Amino acid sequence: MRKFQHPLMSNNFDQSDFNPVIKLLKKKNAILTQSINVRHFEKMWSKWLGVKYSVFVNSGSSANLISLDILRHLKGKGEVIVPALTWSSDISSVIKNHMKPIFVDIDMNSLSMNDDEIIKKISKNTKGIFLTHAQGFNGLTDKLLNFIKKKKIFLIEDVCESHGAKFKNKKLGNFGDISNFSFYYAHHMSTIEGGMICTNNRKLYELARILRSHGLVREMSDNSQKQKLIKKFKNLSPNFIFLLPAYNMRNNEIGGLLGISQLKKLDKNNDIRKNNFKLFIQNLDDKKFFIDFKMEGSCNYAFPIILKTKNIKTRDKFEALMTKNSIEFRRGNAGGGNMLRQPFLKNYVKKNEFLKFKNTEHIHNFGYYI
Ligand SMILES: Cc1ncc(COP(=O)(O)O)c(C=O)c1O
């Protein structure tokens, strides 16, 4: 594997993260599967974010999948509004739940969905909006939130790339019915692999707990609800009532301990990230690069670079220059560009439909993250 002088990410762990893990591993008969450290991390995370409930899972994609499962469970099958620029699992989770993704182009200054286009694409078949706060930028506007509130539309915020970013001084992940985070190694903080589902709604929380397990009633935290179900299914062993079809998407105690340790450093690291990003943007030549980002409340884990040119040869020269200077990069920003071009969606989008998404197309061809 090629070593870069400026890699996309280097290990975000230090000895202070590993010490509690080593201590646990040295214990006789230590519990390593989901237990008290997972619960402690969930409580700390809820407090940090400002929500009532959090459910720690094994990836951000699992958080996506469970959230969409909950949406389908509550509202039935139908359409889900999604961005053309996002991560693949935001779309996979929709189609795996037999729902239809309705794509929306992004705004260049936030890399998130354009609010007017979202509102235009809402129909009687819309079951929810699955919004991605891309690369540390806030994707919400007052106009969108007022519309969602008025029409009572279910909102899921994907905050996997934007831990600690804010809208109107409130952390992203507080505005939707559910919000999702990822703790994969590449993001603001890490549990190696991991994700979080957050909500203020007790019913959604219980569903997330059931779906994180193998669909088991015993995973519920609401004892009176649990007892009702045990009574209802009296011919089943109380420990083996599989209420909903589900897979195991649990994390473990090592992930929990890493999360606790990393979270303690998150705000301080995010302050450094914010300053670095400002400095980076200030030093970009605005004749060559797009710098007009929505900076208020942003908290980026990487530097987005968007060329102003639409010339592929100039782009190729730029890529060669980055390679020569040992800068690792990803074209298409964090998610690989225009989702509608991806082969896994060939049965869901019409041929050449991707061309309608002009801003996403520009990111696809001329956008990067480093
Ligand atoms: C916006 C977004 N959603 C979801 C995910 C999936 O997270 P994970 O890699 O933990 O599965 C990512 C991953 O990078 C992401 O960027």
Short mmCIF file of all heavy atoms in Angstrom, two decimals, residues 245-287:
data_model
loop_
_atom_site.label_atom_id
_atom_site.label_comp_id
_atom_site.label_asym_id
_atom_site.label_seq_id
_atom_site.Cartn_x
_atom_site.Cartn_y
_atom_site.Cartn_z
N PRO A 245 -38.39 -9.03 12.30
CA PRO A 245 -37.26 -9.62 11.59
C PRO A 245 -36.05 -8.69 11.72
O PRO A 245 -36.17 -7.49 11.44
CB PRO A 245 -37.74 -9.71 10.14
CG PRO A 245 -38.89 -8.77 10.04
CD PRO A 245 -39.45 -8.56 11.41
N ALA A 246 -34.93 -9.23 12.17
CA ALA A 246 -33.77 -8.35 12.40
C ALA A 246 -32.48 -9.15 12.37
O ALA A 246 -32.49 -10.39 12.42
CB ALA A 246 -33.92 -7.66 13.75
N TYR A 247 -31.40 -8.41 12.28
CA TYR A 247 -30.07 -9.02 12.34
C TYR A 247 -29.37 -8.49 13.57
O TYR A 247 -29.74 -7.44 14.10
CB TYR A 247 -29.26 -8.64 11.09
CG TYR A 247 -29.96 -8.97 9.81
CD1 TYR A 247 -30.74 -8.02 9.15
CD2 TYR A 247 -29.89 -10.25 9.28
CE1 TYR A 247 -31.40 -8.33 7.98
CE2 TYR A 247 -30.56 -10.57 8.11
CZ TYR A 247 -31.31 -9.61 7.46
OH TYR A 247 -31.97 -9.92 6.32
N ASN A 248 -28.35 -9.15 13.99
CA ASN A 248 -27.56 -8.65 15.11
C ASN A 248 -26.65 -7.52 14.63
O ASN A 248 -25.79 -7.74 13.79
CB ASN A 248 -26.76 -9.82 15.69
CG ASN A 248 -25.70 -9.37 16.66
OD1 ASN A 248 -25.71 -8.24 17.13
ND2 ASN A 248 -24.78 -10.26 16.96
N MET A 249 -26.84 -6.33 15.15
CA MET A 249 -25.99 -5.19 14.78
C MET A 249 -25.38 -4.53 16.02
O MET A 249 -25.17 -3.32 16.06
CB MET A 249 -26.80 -4.17 13.97
CG MET A 249 -27.32 -4.75 12.67
SD MET A 249 -28.02 -3.49 11.63
CE MET A 249 -29.19 -4.46 10.70
N ARG A 250 -25.15 -5.38 17.03
CA ARG A 250 -24.60 -4.86 18.29
C ARG A 250 -23.13 -4.47 18.14
O ARG A 250 -22.42 -5.01 17.30
CB ARG A 250 -24.70 -5.92 19.39
CG ARG A 250 -26.09 -6.20 19.89
CD ARG A 250 -26.02 -7.14 21.08
NE ARG A 250 -25.41 -8.41 20.74
CZ ARG A 250 -26.06 -9.57 20.62
NH1 ARG A 250 -27.37 -9.61 20.84
NH2 ARG A 250 -25.44 -10.66 20.32
N ASN A 251 -22.69 -3.60 19.03
CA ASN A 251 -21.26 -3.35 19.20
C ASN A 251 -20.81 -4.14 20.43
O ASN A 251 -21.49 -5.07 20.85
CB ASN A 251 -20.97 -1.85 19.32
CG ASN A 251 -19.61 -1.50 18.76
OD1 ASN A 251 -18.59 -1.97 19.27
ND2 ASN A 251 -19.58 -0.70 17.72
N ASN A 252 -19.69 -3.77 21.04
CA ASN A 252 -19.18 -4.56 22.18
C ASN A 252 -18.48 -3.66 23.19
O ASN A 252 -18.40 -2.44 23.00
CB ASN A 252 -18.25 -5.67 21.67
CG ASN A 252 -17.08 -5.09 20.89
OD1 ASN A 252 -16.37 -4.20 21.38
ND2 ASN A 252 -16.90 -5.54 19.66
N GLU A 253 -17.96 -4.26 24.25
CA GLU A 253 -17.38 -3.48 25.36
C GLU A 253 -16.10 -2.75 24.96
O GLU A 253 -15.81 -1.68 25.50
CB GLU A 253 -17.11 -4.41 26.55
CG GLU A 253 -18.37 -4.89 27.24
CD GLU A 253 -19.12 -3.77 27.95
OE1 GLU A 253 -18.77 -3.47 29.10
OE2 GLU A 253 -20.04 -3.20 27.33
N ILE A 254 -15.36 -3.30 24.03
CA ILE A 254 -14.14 -2.61 23.57
C ILE A 254 -14.54 -1.33 22.85
O ILE A 254 -14.00 -0.24 23.10
CB ILE A 254 -13.28 -3.54 22.68
CG1 ILE A 254 -12.77 -4.71 23.54
CG2 ILE A 254 -12.12 -2.77 22.04
CD1 ILE A 254 -12.00 -5.77 22.78
N GLY A 255 -15.54 -1.45 21.98
CA GLY A 255 -16.08 -0.26 21.29
C GLY A 255 -16.60 0.75 22.29
O GLY A 255 -16.38 1.96 22.15
N GLY A 256 -17.29 0.27 23.31
CA GLY A 256 -17.85 1.15 24.34
C GLY A 256 -16.75 1.93 25.06
O GLY A 256 -16.83 3.15 25.22
N LEU A 257 -15.70 1.21 25.45
CA LEU A 257 -14.60 1.88 26.17
C LEU A 257 -13.87 2.88 25.28
O LEU A 257 -13.50 3.98 25.72
CB LEU A 257 -13.59 0.83 26.68
CG LEU A 257 -14.01 0.08 27.95
CD1 LEU A 257 -13.02 -1.05 28.24
CD2 LEU A 257 -14.11 1.02 29.15
N LEU A 258 -13.66 2.51 24.02
CA LEU A 258 -13.00 3.44 23.10
C LEU A 258 -13.87 4.69 22.90
O LEU A 258 -13.36 5.82 22.87
CB LEU A 258 -12.74 2.76 21.74
CG LEU A 258 -11.64 1.69 21.73
CD1 LEU A 258 -11.62 0.96 20.40
CD2 LEU A 258 -10.26 2.29 22.04
N GLY A 259 -15.18 4.46 22.79
CA GLY A 259 -16.10 5.59 22.61
C GLY A 259 -16.07 6.54 23.79
O GLY A 259 -16.01 7.76 23.61
N ILE A 260 -16.07 5.98 25.00
CA ILE A 260 -16.03 6.82 26.21
C ILE A 260 -14.77 7.68 26.21
O ILE A 260 -14.81 8.89 26.43
CB ILE A 260 -16.06 5.93 27.48
CG1 ILE A 260 -17.43 5.26 27.62
CG2 ILE A 260 -15.71 6.72 28.73
CD1 ILE A 260 -17.47 4.09 28.61
N SER A 261 -13.65 7.04 25.89
CA SER A 261 -12.37 7.75 25.91
C SER A 261 -12.29 8.81 24.79
O SER A 261 -11.85 9.94 25.02
CB SER A 261 -11.23 6.73 25.78
OG SER A 261 -10.00 7.37 25.72
N GLN A 262 -12.74 8.43 23.61
CA GLN A 262 -12.67 9.36 22.46
C GLN A 262 -13.62 10.55 22.65
O GLN A 262 -13.29 11.67 22.27
CB GLN A 262 -13.04 8.61 21.18
CG GLN A 262 -11.95 7.66 20.71
CD GLN A 262 -11.07 8.29 19.64
OE1 GLN A 262 -11.54 8.63 18.57
NE2 GLN A 262 -9.80 8.45 19.93
N LEU A 263 -14.78 10.28 23.22
CA LEU A 263 -15.76 11.36 23.39
C LEU A 263 -15.23 12.45 24.31
O LEU A 263 -15.51 13.63 24.10
CB LEU A 263 -17.08 10.77 23.93
CG LEU A 263 -18.23 11.76 24.16
CD1 LEU A 263 -18.53 12.59 22.92
CD2 LEU A 263 -19.50 11.01 24.60
N LYS A 264 -14.42 12.05 25.30
CA LYS A 264 -13.85 13.03 26.22
C LYS A 264 -12.97 14.05 25.47
O LYS A 264 -12.77 15.15 25.93
CB LYS A 264 -13.02 12.33 27.30
CG LYS A 264 -13.87 11.58 28.31
CD LYS A 264 -13.00 10.88 29.33
CE LYS A 264 -13.83 9.96 30.19
NZ LYS A 264 -13.02 8.89 30.82
N LYS A 265 -12.44 13.63 24.33
CA LYS A 265 -11.52 14.51 23.57
C LYS A 265 -12.18 15.17 22.37
O LYS A 265 -11.56 15.97 21.68
CB LYS A 265 -10.33 13.67 23.07
CG LYS A 265 -9.49 13.11 24.19
CD LYS A 265 -8.32 12.32 23.64
CE LYS A 265 -8.67 10.87 23.50
NZ LYS A 265 -7.53 10.00 23.23
N LEU A 266 -13.43 14.82 22.12
CA LEU A 266 -14.07 15.23 20.86
C LEU A 266 -14.17 16.76 20.72
O LEU A 266 -13.78 17.31 19.68
CB LEU A 266 -15.47 14.59 20.74
CG LEU A 266 -16.24 14.94 19.47
CD1 LEU A 266 -15.52 14.45 18.22
CD2 LEU A 266 -17.65 14.33 19.50
N ASP A 267 -14.65 17.44 21.74
CA ASP A 267 -14.86 18.89 21.60
C ASP A 267 -13.54 19.63 21.38
O ASP A 267 -13.46 20.53 20.55
CB ASP A 267 -15.56 19.45 22.84
CG ASP A 267 -17.03 19.05 22.88
OD1 ASP A 267 -17.58 18.77 21.79
OD2 ASP A 267 -17.62 18.98 23.98
N LYS A 268 -12.52 19.19 22.10
CA LYS A 268 -11.20 19.84 21.95
C LYS A 268 -10.66 19.59 20.54
O LYS A 268 -10.18 20.51 19.87
CB LYS A 268 -10.24 19.26 23.01
CG LYS A 268 -9.05 20.14 23.28
CD LYS A 268 -8.30 19.69 24.52
CE LYS A 268 -6.82 19.67 24.23
NZ LYS A 268 -6.20 18.36 24.33
N ASN A 269 -10.76 18.37 20.09
CA ASN A 269 -10.29 18.06 18.73
C ASN A 269 -11.11 18.80 17.68
O ASN A 269 -10.55 19.27 16.68
CB ASN A 269 -10.37 16.55 18.46
CG ASN A 269 -9.24 15.80 19.13
OD1 ASN A 269 -8.22 16.39 19.48
ND2 ASN A 269 -9.41 14.51 19.33
N ASN A 270 -12.40 18.93 17.92
CA ASN A 270 -13.25 19.64 16.95
C ASN A 270 -12.88 21.11 16.86
O ASN A 270 -12.94 21.70 15.77
CB ASN A 270 -14.73 19.46 17.30
CG ASN A 270 -15.28 18.14 16.79
OD1 ASN A 270 -14.60 17.42 16.05
ND2 ASN A 270 -16.50 17.81 17.17
N ASP A 271 -12.49 21.72 17.99
CA ASP A 271 -12.05 23.12 17.94
C ASP A 271 -10.82 23.25 17.04
O ASP A 271 -10.70 24.19 16.26
CB ASP A 271 -11.72 23.63 19.35
CG ASP A 271 -12.99 23.90 20.16
OD1 ASP A 271 -14.06 24.03 19.52
OD2 ASP A 271 -12.91 23.96 21.40
N ILE A 272 -9.92 22.28 17.16
CA ILE A 272 -8.72 22.31 16.31
C ILE A 272 -9.11 22.13 14.85
O ILE A 272 -8.64 22.85 13.96
CB ILE A 272 -7.72 21.21 16.76
CG1 ILE A 272 -7.26 21.46 18.20
CG2 ILE A 272 -6.51 21.16 15.81
CD1 ILE A 272 -6.49 20.31 18.83
N ARG A 273 -10.03 21.19 14.62
CA ARG A 273 -10.49 20.96 13.23
C ARG A 273 -11.09 22.22 12.62
O ARG A 273 -10.84 22.55 11.46
CB ARG A 273 -11.55 19.86 13.20
CG ARG A 273 -11.05 18.48 13.53
CD ARG A 273 -12.22 17.50 13.55
NE ARG A 273 -11.88 16.22 14.13
CZ ARG A 273 -11.20 15.26 13.51
NH1 ARG A 273 -10.79 15.44 12.28
NH2 ARG A 273 -10.92 14.12 14.11
N LYS A 274 -11.91 22.92 13.42
CA LYS A 274 -12.58 24.13 12.90
C LYS A 274 -11.56 25.19 12.53
O LYS A 274 -11.66 25.83 11.49
CB LYS A 274 -13.55 24.69 13.96
CG LYS A 274 -14.83 23.88 14.09
CD LYS A 274 -15.73 24.49 15.17
CE LYS A 274 -16.43 23.42 15.95
NZ LYS A 274 -17.01 23.86 17.19
N ASN A 275 -10.55 25.37 13.41
CA ASN A 275 -9.51 26.37 13.11
C ASN A 275 -8.70 25.98 11.89
O ASN A 275 -8.38 26.82 11.04
CB ASN A 275 -8.58 26.55 14.32
CG ASN A 275 -9.26 27.34 15.41
OD1 ASN A 275 -10.17 28.14 15.13
ND2 ASN A 275 -8.88 27.11 16.65
N ASN A 276 -8.37 24.70 11.79
CA ASN A 276 -7.61 24.23 10.62
C ASN A 276 -8.38 24.48 9.34
O ASN A 276 -7.81 24.90 8.33
CB ASN A 276 -7.33 22.72 10.74
CG ASN A 276 -6.27 22.41 11.77
OD1 ASN A 276 -5.53 23.30 12.20
ND2 ASN A 276 -6.20 21.16 12.18
N PHE A 277 -9.68 24.22 9.39
CA PHE A 277 -10.49 24.37 8.19
C PHE A 277 -10.57 25.84 7.75
O PHE A 277 -10.43 26.16 6.57
CB PHE A 277 -11.90 23.80 8.42
CG PHE A 277 -12.75 23.80 7.19
CD1 PHE A 277 -12.31 23.21 6.02
CD2 PHE A 277 -14.00 24.41 7.19
CE1 PHE A 277 -13.09 23.22 4.87
CE2 PHE A 277 -14.79 24.42 6.04
CZ PHE A 277 -14.33 23.83 4.88
N LYS A 278 -10.74 26.72 8.73
CA LYS A 278 -10.78 28.16 8.41
C LYS A 278 -9.48 28.59 7.75
O LYS A 278 -9.47 29.27 6.73
CB LYS A 278 -10.98 28.97 9.70
CG LYS A 278 -12.44 29.29 9.95
CD LYS A 278 -12.60 30.23 11.13
CE LYS A 278 -13.90 29.87 11.84
NZ LYS A 278 -13.80 29.91 13.29
N LEU A 279 -8.37 28.16 8.34
CA LEU A 279 -7.05 28.50 7.81
C LEU A 279 -6.88 27.97 6.39
O LEU A 279 -6.39 28.67 5.50
CB LEU A 279 -5.99 27.88 8.73
CG LEU A 279 -4.54 28.30 8.50
CD1 LEU A 279 -4.33 29.75 8.90
CD2 LEU A 279 -3.60 27.41 9.33
N PHE A 280 -7.34 26.76 6.20
CA PHE A 280 -7.24 26.11 4.88
C PHE A 280 -8.02 26.91 3.83
O PHE A 280 -7.49 27.25 2.76
CB PHE A 280 -7.80 24.69 4.99
CG PHE A 280 -7.79 23.92 3.70
CD1 PHE A 280 -6.60 23.43 3.17
CD2 PHE A 280 -8.97 23.69 3.01
CE1 PHE A 280 -6.60 22.71 1.98
CE2 PHE A 280 -8.98 22.99 1.82
CZ PHE A 280 -7.78 22.50 1.30
N ILE A 281 -9.26 27.25 4.16
CA ILE A 281 -10.12 27.98 3.21
C ILE A 281 -9.53 29.36 2.91
O ILE A 281 -9.52 29.81 1.76
CB ILE A 281 -11.56 28.11 3.79
CG1 ILE A 281 -12.24 26.75 3.82
CG2 ILE A 281 -12.40 29.11 3.01
CD1 ILE A 281 -12.55 26.17 2.46
N GLN A 282 -9.03 30.02 3.97
CA GLN A 282 -8.45 31.36 3.77
C GLN A 282 -7.28 31.34 2.79
O GLN A 282 -6.97 32.33 2.16
CB GLN A 282 -7.94 31.92 5.12
CG GLN A 282 -9.03 32.53 5.97
CD GLN A 282 -8.60 32.65 7.42
OE1 GLN A 282 -7.42 32.49 7.76
NE2 GLN A 282 -9.56 32.93 8.29
N ASN A 283 -6.62 30.21 2.69
CA ASN A 283 -5.43 30.12 1.84
C ASN A 283 -5.70 29.54 0.46
O ASN A 283 -4.76 29.35 -0.32
CB ASN A 283 -4.35 29.32 2.56
CG ASN A 283 -3.67 30.18 3.60
OD1 ASN A 283 -2.83 31.01 3.27
ND2 ASN A 283 -4.08 30.03 4.85
N LEU A 284 -6.96 29.26 0.17
CA LEU A 284 -7.27 28.76 -1.18
C LEU A 284 -7.51 29.95 -2.13
O LEU A 284 -8.10 30.95 -1.74
CB LEU A 284 -8.54 27.90 -1.16
CG LEU A 284 -8.43 26.47 -0.64
CD1 LEU A 284 -9.79 25.78 -0.76
CD2 LEU A 284 -7.39 25.66 -1.38
N ASP A 285 -7.06 29.79 -3.36
CA ASP A 285 -7.23 30.83 -4.38
C ASP A 285 -8.67 30.75 -4.91
O ASP A 285 -9.04 29.76 -5.56
CB ASP A 285 -6.21 30.57 -5.49
CG ASP A 285 -6.32 31.57 -6.62
OD1 ASP A 285 -7.29 32.35 -6.62
OD2 ASP A 285 -5.44 31.56 -7.50
N ASP A 286 -9.46 31.80 -4.63
CA ASP A 286 -10.88 31.71 -5.00
C ASP A 286 -11.13 31.82 -6.50
O ASP A 286 -12.26 31.68 -6.96
CB ASP A 286 -11.73 32.71 -4.21
CG ASP A 286 -11.43 34.15 -4.56
OD1 ASP A 286 -10.45 34.39 -5.31
OD2 ASP A 286 -12.16 35.04 -4.08
N LYS A 287 -10.07 32.08 -7.27
CA LYS A 287 -10.24 32.05 -8.73
C LYS A 287 -10.27 30.60 -9.21
O LYS A 287 -10.90 30.26 -10.20
CB LYS A 287 -9.10 32.81 -9.42
CG LYS A 287 -9.24 34.31 -9.29
CD LYS A 287 -8.24 35.02 -10.18
CE LYS A 287 -8.10 36.47 -9.74
NZ LYS A 287 -7.34 36.63 -8.48
#
